[in-house]
Amino acid sequence: MDCNFFDYLPTSYMASSFFLLLFLSFSLVCSLVSTKHSVTWTYGINYGRIADNLPAPESVVTLLKAAKLNHIRIYDADHGVLTAFNGSGIEVIVGLPNGYLKEMSTGEDRAMNWVKENVQAFLPGTQIRGIAVGNEILGGSDMELWEVLLPAAKNIYGAVYRLGLKEIVQVSSPHSEAVFANSYPPSACIFKPDVVPFMKPLLQLFSQIGSPFYINAYPFLAYKNDPQHIDINYALFKDNRGIYDAKTKLHYDNMFEAQVDAAYSALEKAGFNKMEVIVSETGWASRGDPDEAGATVKNARTYNRHLRKRLIKKKGTPLRPKIPVRAYVFALFNENSKPGPTSERNFGLFKPDGSIAYDIGFTGLVPSSAPPLSFKDIAAQGWLRWSYSLLFMACSVVLQQGLGL
């Protein structure tokens, strides 16, 4: 007589077990479906490394997981970092530094080699999802870089396309607010006349390949440059009168959303009204020089706490209410070797030891005081993993039988 595990169980136990397994199977399927169709991510973070006191990349992965941060940008394609993120499940945008643009613009073979060595070689273990070609080129002081940005982006995308990675790896280029001639009110925003000849063909490329428009939006910088005329509460998401855009008849109660919609307005005037805007950098300095207004821990905590709450809601802007705003916060750590004013080195949300710089709702790394596992503990954990495997297999069988597969 053929028998199996269930033949040794009482009928009532078999029935209850069947329904338990059926419930677990149904829950598993629902979880997978829910994950597949969940709303897109909205909160990422920039992992800059111009410092001499930062933890190893492996520790950074642990920190990000503890804080439940699953999307990051780095400003290069450092192999040590990319190796550390292998198997982490964290999605990464790598950067092609400004210093490489001229080389990448001169030939497709050089771009192909760069993509092979710095992107393809780490897939699929490290989830590289984008390449940022340069950073804040247009509107900057180096006109030669303006001229090579488009051919560099084309060559990088060409390599991505020929390697069969275009469905996985997106090609883009982040811009600063310096590309705009006017951003107040948001509906009046346009690209600077001298930027347009370089920006428009770049936007045409990104429109054709389905890339978004990345903007580095800093209410902090706007307030720092004009504290006499900008209400700090408006910059910090606090209660204020806000502004009214007469053309669109829209009200803005915070500068962050106004900056995003200003970018949408500029894109619309340039003929790209369907292109999504993603904020590639935003943040608030916790310390600055005497002439850097607003750079305090209190203001940094206020801005980042309100920003995080706002992004978690997955809501749009007044001008694009159906498109959830996505942003990469600047930055993961303070960068003590960065040149420039003091504020440039003090945007971090975490300290080098993994503890939080100030509380905005994240959990930093806490040193473990738990004793090492005994052999009995390890054996028990092994049995538990075996049990879960058996349960999963049973759930799969029940589910397949129930669906007639």
Side-chain angles (χ1 to χ4, degrees):
M1 180 181 69
D2 293 334
C3 62
N4 57 41
F5 173 74
F6 293 103
D7 290 328
Y8 295 98
L9 296 177
T11 303
S12 60
Y13 189 89
M14 287 175 61
S16 60
S17 298
F18 173 81
F19 286 111
L20 173 61
L21 290 174
L22 188 62
F23 172 76
L24 291 171
S25 301
F26 179 76
S27 299
L28 176 64
V29 172
C30 288
S31 174
L32 293 173
V33 171
S34 175
T35 300
K36 182 177 180 181
H37 297 285
S38 62
V39 179
T40 185
W41 69 272
T42 54
Y43 193 100
I45 198 159
N46 288 278
Y47 172 24
R49 306 189 320 281
I50 306 177
D52 60 12
N53 61 349
L54 298 184
E58 293 78 8
S59 298
V60 172
V61 171
T62 303
L63 171 62
L64 292 170
K65 286 186 172 183
K68 297 182 180 179
L69 292 167
N70 300 315
H71 295 81
I72 70 159
R73 286 181 68 231
I74 59 177
Y75 292 86
D76 53 19
D78 182 87
H79 288 192
V81 172
L82 295 178
T83 300
F85 278 84
N86 180 54
S88 67
I90 297 171
E91 297 192 359
V92 183
I93 291 182
V94 300
L96 176 69
N98 295 354
Y100 286 79
L101 293 185
K102 295 176 186 177
E103 179 184 354
M104 295 302 115
S105 70
T106 58
E108 295 181 1
D109 56 334
R110 296 184 180 184
M112 175 64 76
N113 290 337
W114 191 91
V115 174
K116 281 183 176 179
E117 294 173 6
N118 298 289
V119 178
Q120 186 186 43
F122 295 92
L123 294 171
T126 301
Q127 295 187 21
I128 300 174
R129 294 295 178 260
I131 302 171
V133 180
N135 186 50
E136 298 189 341
I137 299 299
L138 301 183
S141 59
D142 192 335
M143 292 299 297
E144 190 174 358
L145 290 182
W146 291 32
E147 295 172 355
V148 299
L149 176 59
L150 178 61
K154 283 184 175 179
N155 286 341
I156 289 293
Y157 177 74
V160 168
Y161 182 87
R162 289 195 299 277
L163 291 171
L165 303 176
K166 69 181 183 69
E167 300 299 329
I168 303 172
V169 180
Q170 191 178 70
V171 176
S172 61
S173 184
H175 304 285
S176 74
E177 295 280 337
V179 299
F180 301 132
N182 180 36
S183 59
Y184 179 84
S187 64
C189 189
I190 59 172
F191 291 111
K192 287 180 177 177
D194 61 334
V195 168
V196 171
F198 298 91
M199 179 66 79
K200 198 157 186 177
L202 189 67
L203 293 176
Q204 288 171 341
L205 170 65
F206 290 157
S207 178
Q208 290 169 0
I209 66 178
S211 294
F213 180 81
Y214 279 91
I215 184 69
N216 296 342
Y218 284 95
F220 165 71
L221 296 180
Y223 175 77
K224 184 187 78 167
N225 293 332
D226 193 10
Q228 289 78 24
H229 299 98
I230 295 177
D231 182 356
I232 193 169
N233 292 328
Y234 176 63
L236 291 174
F237 297 95
K238 297 177 72 174
D239 291 339
N240 65 96
R241 292 174 58 188
I243 66 166
Y244 177 72
D245 192 324
K247 181 178 180 180
T248 58
K249 296 181 173 56
L250 296 174
H251 179 265
Y252 293 87
D253 60 14
N254 67 83
M255 186 182 290
F256 175 78
E257 290 183 354
Q259 289 182 329
V260 173
D261 276 354
Y264 273 121
S265 294
L267 288 171
E268 187 172 340
K269 292 182 180 72
F272 301 92
N273 60 315
K274 294 184 179 180
M275 185 172 287
E276 180 185 4
V277 173
I278 296 179
V279 177
S280 38
E281 289 182 18
T282 188
W284 198 284
S286 60
R287 184 175 169 227
D289 295 322
D291 62 345
E292 294 188 288
T296 67
V297 171
K298 180 180 178 182
N299 289 339
R301 180 174 58 244
T302 299
Y303 180 81
N304 282 298
R305 184 176 67 245
H306 286 304
L307 175 68
R308 182 169 180 245
K309 287 180 179 179
R310 189 241 174 272
L311 293 175
I312 288 174
K313 292 178 181 178
K314 294 180 168 60
K315 57 180 286 192
T317 62
L319 188 63
R320 295 286 191 273
K322 295 183 180 180
I323 303 177
V325 179
R326 297 193 276 173
Y328 289 89
V329 175
F330 190 85
L332 189 59
F333 300 109
N334 289 337
E335 296 175 79
N336 66 359
S337 300
K338 220 171 182 182
T342 300
S343 63
E344 289 289 326
R345 298 182 287 279
N346 289 278
F347 278 87
L349 300 184
F350 294 90
K351 298 177 182 179
D353 64 0
S355 61
I356 57 174
Y358 43 80
D359 185 13
I360 64 167
F362 284 126
T363 301
L365 293 179
V366 179
S368 175
S369 58
L373 292 176
S374 66
F375 178 78
K376 183 185 296 186
D377 294 326
I378 296 173
Q381 287 186 0
W383 178 87
L384 189 59
R385 283 194 295 271
W386 178 84
S387 324
Y388 283 148
S389 299
L390 181 62
L391 179 60
F392 181 81
M393 292 170 60
C395 288
S396 299
V397 171
V398 171
L399 180 60
Q400 290 177 14
Q401 290 178 347
L403 296 177
L405 300 177

